[in-house]
Amino acid sequence: MESGYHIVVCGSLVPDPLQTLEPDVGPKGPALKNEMVLPSVLDPWAAHALYEAAHLAKEYAGSKVWLVSVGPKQRLQQLMMTVAQKAPFSFVPVDGSASGFCDPFETATALANAIGAIPDLDRSRLLLFGGYASASRDAGVTLQVVGEMLGITEVFLAVDSLSVSENGEISLLERVEGGNYLFSECDCPPLVVGWATGHLPEPPNNPQIGMANMRSIMPALQKAPQVQVGAEGVSFAKVELPQQQRTTRIVKDVPVEQIAGEIVAWIRG
Amino acid sequence: MTEPVRNDSAMKKILLLAFVEENGALGKPALEALSGACELAQAFGAALNVGLIGEFAQKAADSIASCGANQILAVQGPEFASARCATDSAAAVALIRAAEADFVLAPQTTRSARCMPGAAFRAKGRIDTRITGLRVDEGTLLIQRWYYRQRMVAELTRSQRPWVVLLEPGVFSPWSGGGGHAEVSIVPVEPVETRTRIAGIEPASAGTQTIRPDADLLFVAGAGWTKKQADGEVHVEEAENLIRNFLDLTHASLGSSKSLVDQSGEGQKVISLLTHMHQVGQTGSTPRHPKGLATCCHGEEPHVVGWRFINERRAVNLDPNCGWARGKADVLYVADAFAVMGKVIELLGKDAGQAAV
Amino acid sequence: MGPDLEKGTENPVDRLNLDVDIACVGFGPAMGGFLTTLAREMEQASGEPHVQSTVLPGMPLQVVCYERADDVNFGVSGLVTEARAIRNTFPDMNPSEIPLAHPVSEERIVYLLDPHGASRRSLGLRIADSAIRGLRWVLPYRRSALELPFIPPFLKKHGGLVMSIGQFMQWVSNQVSSSGMVQIWPGTPVGEPILEGKQVVGVRIADQGVQKDGTPDVGYMPGMDVRARLTVVGDGPVGAVGQRLDEQFGLPEGHHQHDWAVGMKVVVSLPDHCDLVPGTVLHTLGYPEPEIFGFLYVHPERIASLGIFVPSTLASPVRTVYRYLQHWMLHPYLWHHLEGGTLRSWGAKTLQESGRLGEPYLAGDGYARIGEGSGSTNVLTGSGVDEAWMTGVLLAEGVIDLLKKGEPFTQANLEAAYTNRRRKSWVETGSRKAQHARDGFRKGFVTGVLGMAVSGLTRGALNLKTRSAHPREGIPDLNQYYRDRISSEELQRIREECAKNAIPLHDALMTRAGWPEIPLDGKLLISQQDALLLGGKVQAAPGFADHVMFVDPAVCEQCGTRLCIEACSAQAIAPSPSGGTPEFDREKCIHCGACIWNCTQPRPGDRERGNIRFYAGAGGLHSAEN
Ligand SMILES: Cc1cc2nc3c(=O)[nH]c(=O)nc-3n(C[C@H](O)[C@H](O)[C@H](O)COP(=O)(O)OP(=O)(O)OC[C@H]3O[C@@H](n4cnc5c(N)ncnc54)[C@H](O)[C@@H]3O)c2cc1C
Ligand SMILES: Cc1cc2nc3c(=O)[nH]c(=O)nc-3n(C[C@H](O)[C@H](O)[C@H](O)COP(=O)(O)OP(=O)(O)OC[C@H]3O[C@@H](n4cnc5c(N)ncnc54)[C@H](O)[C@@H]3O)c2cc1C
Ligand code: SF4
Ligand code: SF4
């Protein structure tokens, strides 16, 4: 019997969060200003999903990991330079927009189609992973919709821990209100897991893994299907930077007592 | 793979969809969303329906009996008592269909976030989440949401129906009309096949719960608490005591910086109260509280974006040039947080003692 | 103690091995030229035996390139270039396809006078300044500056391009990688070359999962050994691999690396009122100190790159760059254009200004060196990118020759195929003309400018040669340097004050010496730490060892002029509260390499080097606009 999991990780690029971002509203809807000059990174929570997937795959022999990304082909190629050394995976690129202003349903459609086309994917062993929300849209919708499209309704969101018991039962901890975890058990795959931070540190760059991955990444990129991903039906009235500059009163060289008194009065007030 | 969605922009039937809490009542987020739904129904001259999901719905329905809903629908039963995607989304889609809603408003909670996207998909509609404002402009509903992790804010509308919107807390005041007896129509749901069992709720960190979404004050502890102080030593235990005492006295919610929560597990002395769930910022949370006090935190942009929804902000930092000084806080106290917080606790303690007398 | 070299021998660890045909270190313009040329041959000759791998039979040549920075577009440079070599490689290149690129449209050289009287000007210069001021009605004099009426031919960049090195390198990496022929891996610092006798047999990647001092920590992953038939070293002026090779093999007779500069730049969104047109190239001299050169290049979309070079010949014991950069931007001539602008990006990097005289052995058994680290930068014309690119192209051509002939990469073969090619190229003729062009600066600014003019105008036939010495030898101590401006008692007081707060001296001293305070505006004039955050977005991944190490703490203890602290471009080196060896903060370092040559004390046993050892580290700047 075949063993191990088939783990499909959905995740794409977002602008390096350190960058200064500004919106630019054009005739085709909103976009990021100078989007082309912004370096990008793998969406942080999706990155955690990838590390968790790699970790599980290592633990359960026979497992396999795919990374499915919808993004502009050239930028995906660039992204792979920083991601492919992290964990072994097969890359399934889809050439389309990764803008935060796209509708998650459209992104989900592109992802579901790409996953549907993966040869030899065994749905009975499928763990559909991803970040529980993206750093671009922050909607927390895409994964559930991909799940629906693939007929998977066991969904776990904002997961920090996934463990498998001896009999194959999967236990999950999901972040819920008030700093608590919802603890659930699921008999078996397939299931959808939207990861939060998880528990694993970012793996070091491993040149050997990179070399091996890259052999399939370039051909995959060359064959990447092109899709239209947008936000049909949505009209943006405006997109703007928030006014965040406050006038800061700086209190300096003042006795501690006075500061403490002021803070207490303020907390009460 | 998607089927065609309706595209007639109608706002004739509005459904407020909410989950009943374990105690049978409706939570604050649900009541806030109800206020929003009532306003919208009025603005559009639309019919308002309420859909409830939970183990029992009657008590919750009674509590909002005077809200003006045409009908209160409910899916109830033990399998709907707590959050589980498969059962929740089946219930939600049944309610949307039964109400023939073209607009669905639900509070943004972890429970709705999990199941509503699937429900919207099955109802052949679309969903917008994390909505921080609703506004009607010339007969069009505009919703406000943030993009790129609170870096920019947009107003938008959408033509597909049904349109499901998850509303962030704090946008409307909770509905506070009178209760009474409400007529509840139970909506049947086919038995749902699920492989998932709910085993319970557990706190992320042992001991007292320090993340308190309802608190008036957010208290942020930054990495400075564990750094070498003027005497060349670290004072982590003292820091932890100060933080703990302050939280006990104020019931503030505890937040932290990435630098500090990342220290856990690296084998150094750490503040045991903190977990990754306490991290505020770009890759952490964006809590909502009327006030926030940052201590020993530099106020760097990736952290401060998480303060988007904190109205009044103050900071205590030794460095007069820290980020807070640059328009990120209303007041920056340039001082030693150990000394200041010690004194604050003393003052608060005194008052607490007096109050007890 | 070093993180990589020593440990391997003391305590052998299991290292993974990877076999490739060609291992490349650093992805700068030099490597861009090399990989583009090589990848093209591999594509065109696909299937032919000479582009087949010998380590992975049946596969094409395995070529990998490791870059230290977190992405391939995080480099720092001006940059205006004649782009001769680059255009030769990409004859159909359309600048509008590369963000921020624009053909040069206008050139000006401007002599800046000192509006504050705070700079150090020799008597000769002061007389010249007075004369200029006196004749300002007849001279092209504006806003305390003299626009030179002509541009010496050797400085002309007409027909060239204004670019962003980051965007250009990103564009190049896309061209190269999409061929699928070579792999480029950013975020992967190479620790050192692997030597077997005199032969380089590959490179060792820096260890990960280690503590600051290099000892293994949780998640320890010893750096992999990448074994290669040929190692191509293009790691720039201060790269760890190039430095190790220099330490190992020394420099050819008569060569030295005594001349350095640190270039610091900002990328600015120009204010609406600014009327500079895209493609404008401005060069300045004379201010904030006479020896400091400045540049301002205008990109499309109202964006400009501007900055200064602070050379090792500026004999100041508080050779700070950041504050000088701010004074320079505030000069009336420039501020007129910049006021109201916003900082988008910031960065700094060392330039190897010994040029041809700093050339190391270009090839040895199993390795070859290209780019600025191989002495390619032309110090007369102030250009390094095109030259670096060309050296890469020349090496690739040589390598293709050897591959075709099936000959091994020995020193003799590489010299014949590469070094000879280089000797015959315009890079060589250019750098020979330039090799003494900067010597005059050792004798002061006026002599320096004269020397440059003489070398430039006679095409290197005539030069003002001076004896070369390690830069530390020109550095006076603080008392001496400020003897006419600050009393020694006051100096002592300032020293104590700064030591107490563990901050560098330069701000206090410059202010005291007459430099006005910088009016921070939160947009373009921001604190140095803000520049790290807002402009540099500096980040350091955890798990790497400190890459700046103080070799002998005892030497630092005794060091009077802690220039490493004053000169650090990012305030990453700070006085230690205990007063001993300075403290290094990896999280702030931008890998500019200035600390290496700003150390004022010789390393025990090696007078050519200072007491700082620079290893390979990850992280640093996160900006793709520099
Ligand atoms: C991609 C990315 C995402 C990130 N996401 C987040 C995020 O979500 N959340 C987040 O917080 N950070 C985030 N960061 C990190 C962020 O940039 C900062 O590094 C971090 O917030 C710094 O934490 P800090 O201010 O607590 O620590 P530090 O920068 O170390 O500051 C410590 C402060 O304490 C002060 N101090 C020390 N002792 C005292 C004392 N006795 N009294 C008063 N003050 C004292 C010091 O003056 C200093 O200002 C992110 C960074 C990146 C690159
Ligand atoms: C502020 C400034 C302005 C300048 N302006 C101009 C100009 O206008 N015109 C012009 O022609 N030239 C200019 N130059 C000079 C020009 O930038 C250099 O000459 C040129 O970049 C040299 O190219 P290179 O490929 O040899 O080295 P570099 O560009 O230095 O590239 C070396 C690469 O190797 C990497 N590296 C280093 N060590 C390691 C390691 N251990 N492992 C892996 N990777 C490593 C580095 O990160 C870097 O990416 C300027 C320089 C500066 C600093
Ligand atoms: S590194 Fe050099 S300059 Fe710095 S303190 Fe040590 S000896 Fe002095
Ligand atoms: S410590 Fe880093 S930033 Fe400072 S001079 Fe050295 S290399 Fe440059």
Side-chain angles (χ1 to χ4, degrees):
Chain A
M1 199 191 92
E2 299 226 70
S3 69
Y5 297 108
H6 277 185
I7 313 176
V8 172
V9 181
C10 300
S12 188
L13 45 86
V14 293
D16 178 342
L18 293 171
Q19 308 300 315
T20 312
L21 303 182
E22 282 178 68
D24 190 9
V25 186
K28 283 189 281 173
L32 290 182
K33 210 178 206 158
N34 297 312
E35 189 151 8
M36 281 308 288
V37 311
L38 292 169
S40 37
V41 297
L42 183 59
D43 205 335
W45 278 311
H48 288 294
L50 179 64
Y51 310 152
E52 296 282 348
H55 180 75
L56 263 183
K58 210 152 104 185
E59 242 168 282
Y60 296 91
S63 298
K64 200 170 170 331
V65 178
W66 289 265
L67 175 63
V68 188
S69 306
V70 180
K73 191 160 137 177
Q74 277 217 332
R75 302 186 69 202
L76 285 177
Q77 178 184 321
Q78 181 110 3
L79 178 74
M80 282 305 113
M81 294 185 184
T82 53
V83 174
Q85 293 199 91
K86 297 282 176 200
F89 58 82
S90 300
F91 190 44
V92 185
V94 180
D95 188 7
S97 171
S99 162
F101 299 107
C102 295
D103 190 308
F105 272 56
E106 299 195 18
T107 307
T109 308
L111 286 168
N113 287 336
I115 296 168
I118 296 175
D120 312 323
L121 187 69
D122 181 350
R123 300 230 180 157
S124 70
R125 297 195 278 155
L126 175 61
L127 303 180
L128 182 66
F129 277 18
Y132 88 92
S134 73
S136 50
R137 192 156 44 226
D138 198 16
V141 169
T142 313
L143 274 184
Q144 295 95 309
V145 177
V146 176
E148 287 285 338
M149 289 172 173
L150 299 175
I152 313 170
T153 54
E154 311 294 338
V155 177
F156 304 87
L157 210 60
V159 171
D160 265 340
S161 152
L162 179 155
S163 51
V164 183
S165 71
E166 298 260 299
N167 62 3
E169 205 174 74
I170 299 172
S171 307
L172 301 108
L173 290 178
E174 291 167 89
R175 293 184 179 183
V176 294
E177 281 79 6
N180 290 314
Y181 280 128
L182 175 65
F183 178 32
S184 316
E185 290 158 343
C186 189
D187 293 334
C188 57
L191 48 91
V192 177
V193 183
W195 282 93
T197 326
H199 286 294
L200 299 173
E202 181 170 334
N205 283 341
N206 184 323
Q208 227 166 16
I209 292 179
M211 284 285 270
N213 277 341
M214 206 41 102
R215 280 190 199 117
S216 61
I217 285 174
M218 278 305 159
L221 276 165
Q222 269 148 15
K223 286 187 299 212
Q226 241 182 344
V227 295
Q228 277 301 324
V229 181
E232 213 198 288
V234 175
S235 1
F236 285 86
K238 64 178 173 207
V239 186
E240 55 193 16
L241 291 177
Q243 274 316 325
Q244 49 172 336
Q245 206 67 1
R246 293 160 183 248
T247 24
T248 309
R249 177 165 65 92
I250 300 182
V251 182
K252 225 165 129 175
D253 305 320
V254 166
V256 166
E257 289 71 23
Q258 198 177 326
I259 293 179
E262 213 181 277
I263 291 178
V264 171
W266 170 67
I267 293 175
R268 296 269 167 67
Chain B
M1 275 195 191
T2 35
E3 295 176 46
V5 289
R6 268 167 53 205
N7 233 335
D8 58 7
S9 307
M11 292 287 283
K12 296 206 176 64
K13 288 185 178 171
I14 293 178
L15 174 69
L16 179 276
L17 198 146
F19 293 91
V20 178
E21 310 268 301
E22 267 173 30
N23 62 9
L26 286 176
K28 192 170 155 198
L31 294 173
E32 289 177 4
L34 177 57
S35 292
C38 290
E39 268 186 37
L40 286 184
Q42 200 171 18
F44 287 101
L48 172 68
N49 293 317
V50 171
L52 301 174
I53 302 169
E55 186 162 16
F56 305 105
Q58 189 64 48
K59 186 175 145 195
D62 287 349
S63 73
I64 54 167
S66 69
C67 72
N70 278 9
Q71 43 172 349
I72 298 186
L73 309 165
V75 171
Q76 66 177 20
E79 64 272 42
F80 304 106
S82 41
R84 174 175 39 210
C85 190
T87 37
D88 283 352
S89 47
V93 75
L95 288 170
I96 297 172
R97 284 191 185 129
E100 298 173 341
D102 14 61
F103 185 79
V104 181
L105 193 66
Q108 175 93 40
T109 60
T110 55
R111 187 166 180 182
S112 65
R114 192 182 299 107
C115 69
M116 293 309 289
F121 174 82
R122 284 188 228 172
K124 304 191 171 54
R126 290 289 164 88
I127 185 168
D128 288 295
T129 57
R130 298 188 185 246
I131 301 311
T132 52
L134 300 176
R135 188 165 73 85
V136 181
D137 183 46
E138 295 180 1
T140 305
L141 173 63
L142 292 173
I143 58 171
Q144 183 197 60
R145 80 183 301 284
W146 295 74
Y147 286 86
Y148 292 95
R149 313 238 73 209
Q150 284 80 48
R151 299 284 190 92
M152 52 195 80
V153 60
E155 267 194 342
L156 56 111
T157 187
R158 151 188 306 281
S159 59
Q160 296 101 335
R161 298 291 181 272
W163 181 12
V164 181
V165 164
L166 302 191
L167 188 69
E168 284 281 355
V171 181
F172 292 93
S173 327
W175 184 86
S176 59
H181 176 75
E183 218 44 67
V184 178
S185 330
I186 301 297
V187 176
V189 174
E190 292 281 305
V192 181
E193 248 184 72
T194 173
R195 286 169 271 125
T196 302
R197 284 170 309 283
I198 291 130
I201 297 277
E202 53 184 56
S205 60
T208 40
Q209 197 36 261
T210 52
I211 297 177
R212 299 161 174 151
D214 286 337
D216 284 335
L217 177 70
L218 170 72
F219 178 78
V220 160
W225 286 108
T226 59
K227 296 236 158 118
K228 274 192 197 148
Q229 295 300 313
D231 59 1
E233 304 289 323
V234 293
H235 299 274
V236 175
E237 271 150 40
E238 187 187 343
E240 176 148 359
N241 280 334
L242 286 171
I243 295 169
R244 212 183 275 278
N245 285 340
F246 179 78
L247 295 178
D248 286 348
L249 284 163
T250 56
H251 300 284
S253 185
L254 179 62
S256 188
S257 69
K258 185 172 189 306
S259 297
L260 190 51
V261 301
D262 280 351
Q263 283 176 10
S264 53
E266 276 178 28
Q268 63 213 86
K269 267 198 187 167
V270 293
I271 296 194
S272 66
L273 292 165
L274 294 171
T275 64
H276 273 108
M277 315 243 306
H278 288 91
Q279 180 185 323
V280 171
Q282 192 156 284
T283 44
S285 63
T286 312
R288 286 162 182 275
H289 302 276
K291 293 176 192 167
L293 177 64
T295 52
C296 296
C297 166
H298 202 78
E300 287 176 9
E301 192 57 24
H303 174 78
V304 181
V305 290
W307 283 61
R308 189 71 80 209
F309 305 121
I310 309 290
N311 297 337
E312 295 176 35
R313 309 176 187 173
R314 299 195 176 193
V316 183
N317 197 307
L318 282 172
D319 181 355
N321 293 318
C322 67
W324 302 107
R326 281 175 269 117
K328 291 181 178 157
D330 305 305
V331 185
L332 166 68
Y333 300 100
V334 180
D336 176 6
F338 281 85
V340 170
M341 293 316 289
K343 200 74 204 165
V344 164
I345 288 163
E346 198 185 307
L347 292 175
L348 289 168
K350 232 187 257 165
D351 291 9
Q354 275 163 9
V357 173
Chain C
M1 201 202 65
D4 328 296
L5 253 194
E6 284 81 349
K7 205 174 52 242
T9 48
E10 270 169 30
N11 181 10
V13 284
D14 270 343
R15 285 183 194 274
L16 290 172
N17 267 302
L18 182 69
D19 288 315
V20 301
D21 295 284
I22 302 181
C24 307
V25 185
F27 186 66
M31 203 57 79
F34 177 75
L35 293 176
T36 307
T37 311
L38 183 64
R40 247 181 225 167
E41 171 71 13
M42 287 169 66
E43 242 177 335
Q44 278 158 12
S46 167
E48 287 182 33
H50 71 279
V51 292
Q52 292 296 305
S53 173
T54 58
V55 296
L56 261 187
M59 298 284 283
L61 277 180
Q62 299 290 297
V63 184
V64 279
C65 172
Y66 298 109
E67 163 58 44
R68 178 206 75 65
D70 293 347
D71 213 333
V72 288
N73 48 14
F74 292 161
V76 178
S77 180
L79 124 92
V80 64
T81 175
E82 274 188 278
R84 271 162 78 177
I86 293 171
R87 279 229 172 87
N88 205 18
T89 305
F90 302 110
D92 303 326
M93 178 172 76
N94 175 1
S96 67
E97 278 172 20
I98 307 171
L100 301 181
H102 199 280
V104 171
S105 59
E106 207 180 312
E107 288 178 89
R108 246 175 284 165
I109 298 183
V110 188
Y111 174 69
L112 303 177
L113 283 88
D114 177 357
H116 302 295
S119 68
R120 296 195 153 262
R121 299 175 109 76
S122 64
L123 183 63
L125 203 54
R126 275 179 303 190
I127 295 171
D129 288 355
S130 309
I132 294 172
R133 286 205 170 91
L135 293 172
R136 65 176 174 276
W137 307 114
V138 294
L139 291 175
Y141 179 95
R142 281 200 263 182
R143 298 184 287 274
S144 291
L146 181 71
E147 292 179 346
L148 298 197
F150 72 102
I151 297 170
F154 63 92
L155 284 179
K156 272 205 179 122
K157 295 287 192 294
H158 213 86
L161 291 171
V162 167
M163 294 202 278
S164 141
I165 195 93
Q167 291 305 311
F168 174 64
M169 290 311 295
Q170 168 159 335
W171 183 80
V172 171
S173 93
N174 275 331
Q175 312 288 314
V176 171
S177 309
S178 56
S179 71
M181 293 296 153
V182 302
Q183 297 188 3
I184 306 168
W185 297 110
T188 312
V190 175
E192 54 189 321
I194 308 173
L195 282 154
E196 281 176 6
K198 286 183 72 98
Q199 187 185 0
V200 173
V201 296
V203 292
R204 176 168 293 172
I205 308 294
D207 291 353
Q208 294 173 76
V210 291
Q211 293 171 4
K212 284 181 167 189
D213 64 358
T215 49
D217 201 354
V218 273
Y220 176 52
M221 193 177 98
M224 183 173 294
D225 280 350
V226 180
R227 301 199 155 245
R229 291 153 65 198
L230 173 67
T231 299
V232 179
V233 183
D235 58 359
V238 294
V241 177
Q243 284 195 56
R244 290 304 165 81
L245 292 175
D246 289 346
E247 283 172 31
Q248 188 71 28
F249 299 121
L251 295 181
E253 185 64 34
H255 286 202
H256 67 80
Q257 294 178 354
H258 289 162
D259 298 295
W260 301 90
V262 55
M264 187 178 282
K265 69 173 292 193
V266 286
V267 181
V268 174
S269 276
L270 293 169
D272 289 341
H273 65 76
C274 174
D275 54 7
L276 295 173
V277 297
T280 302
V281 171
L282 268 178
H283 285 116
T284 75
L285 67 168
Y287 182 81
E289 298 289 358
E291 296 88 340
I292 294 178
F293 285 80
F295 63 88
L296 186 155
Y297 309 145
V298 184
H299 303 284
E301 303 197 31
R302 310 200 59 74
I303 295 173
S305 283
L306 46 140
I308 57 169
F309 297 103
V310 172
S312 54
T313 49
L314 175 69
S316 160
V318 283
R319 215 150 47 189
T320 172
V321 188
Y322 190 74
R323 173 107 183 232
Y324 275 136
L325 175 64
Q326 292 184 317
H327 285 301
W328 177 77
M329 290 194 291
L330 280 165
H331 187 281
Y333 185 85
L334 296 163
W335 197 238
H336 168 75
H337 299 295
L338 298 174
E339 185 172 12
T342 314
L343 179 135
R344 302 165 60 96
S345 179
W346 165 87
K349 179 173 182 284
T350 283
L351 276 113
Q352 206 269 60
E353 296 223 307
S354 299
R356 174 72 174 75
L357 283 178
E359 187 186 282
Y361 293 103
L362 294 180
D365 286 338
Y367 79 93
R369 300 183 62 170
I370 54 177
E372 188 160 308
S374 75
S376 60
T377 298
N378 187 315
V379 295
L380 178 62
T381 59
S383 77
V385 170
D386 208 25
E387 288 73 7
W389 183 276
M390 187 66 197
T391 59
V393 171
L394 294 170
L395 176 63
E397 288 170 0
V399 165
I400 294 166
D401 269 2
L402 293 179
L403 288 169
K404 279 186 177 155
K405 291 191 219 147
E407 288 180 358
F409 298 112
T410 59
Q411 176 157 15
N413 286 342
L414 284 165
E415 278 176 353
Y418 165 52
T419 312
N420 277 349
R421 263 196 171 75
R422 196 159 145 175
R423 297 283 174 250
K424 288 185 209 133
S425 78
W426 59 264
V427 177
E428 175 82 5
T429 32
S431 63
R432 275 197 185 277
K433 281 179 211 157
Q435 65 183 355
H436 292 289
R438 288 203 172 227
D439 284 10
F441 284 98
R442 298 197 192 103
K443 292 265 179 264
F445 172 69
V446 176
T447 328
V449 171
L450 279 176
M452 225 169 131
V454 169
S455 300
L457 298 172
T458 63
R459 299 170 186 252
L462 290 178
N463 296 293
L464 278 182
K465 286 193 202 172
T466 59
R467 185 187 76 89
S468 107
H470 192 276
R472 84 173 78 87
E473 288 176 25
I475 303 289
D477 80 3
L478 278 178
N479 285 314
Q480 214 181 329
Y481 187 71
Y482 283 112
R483 65 184 179 279
D484 53 346
R485 301 204 180 186
I486 310 176
S487 70
S488 56
E489 294 75 47
E490 194 175 358
L491 263 180
Q492 189 53 29
R493 192 187 56 71
I494 292 175
R495 274 189 141 155
E496 281 164 15
E497 184 84 354
C498 290
K500 201 175 83 205
N501 296 323
I503 54 170
L505 289 163
H506 51 242
D507 267 337
L509 289 176
M510 283 183 72
T511 305
R512 179 57 194 76
W515 289 98
E517 295 274 7
I518 303 291
L520 298 184
D521 63 8
K523 285 175 73 184
L524 184 51
L525 302 173
I526 56 178
S527 73
Q528 193 165 355
Q529 288 306 294
D530 277 14
L532 287 187
L533 256 151
L534 293 171
K537 292 108 179 166
V538 177
Q539 207 183 7
F544 286 92
D546 274 354
H547 54 273
V548 167
M549 296 262 191
F550 302 93
V551 178
D552 184 348
V555 172
C556 292
E557 297 278 345
Q558 305 294 322
C559 171
T561 310
R562 304 206 149 141
L563 189 48
C564 61
I565 296 170
E566 305 302 330
C568 174
S569 302
Q571 294 178 336
I573 301 183
S576 107
S578 64
T581 311
E583 285 183 358
F584 171 65
D585 182 352
R586 204 164 61 84
E587 309 269 335
K588 292 181 179 167
C589 177
I590 57 167
H591 300 256
C592 74
C595 47
I596 305 176
W597 49 271
N598 272 295
C599 172
T600 54
Q601 307 298 318
R603 188 182 296 181
D606 186 355
R607 292 200 60 80
E608 280 297 293
R609 291 182 179 80
N611 199 32
I612 282 182
R613 213 179 235 261
F614 195 72
Y615 293 93
L621 294 163
H622 265 238
S623 169
E625 294 184 23
N626 289 322

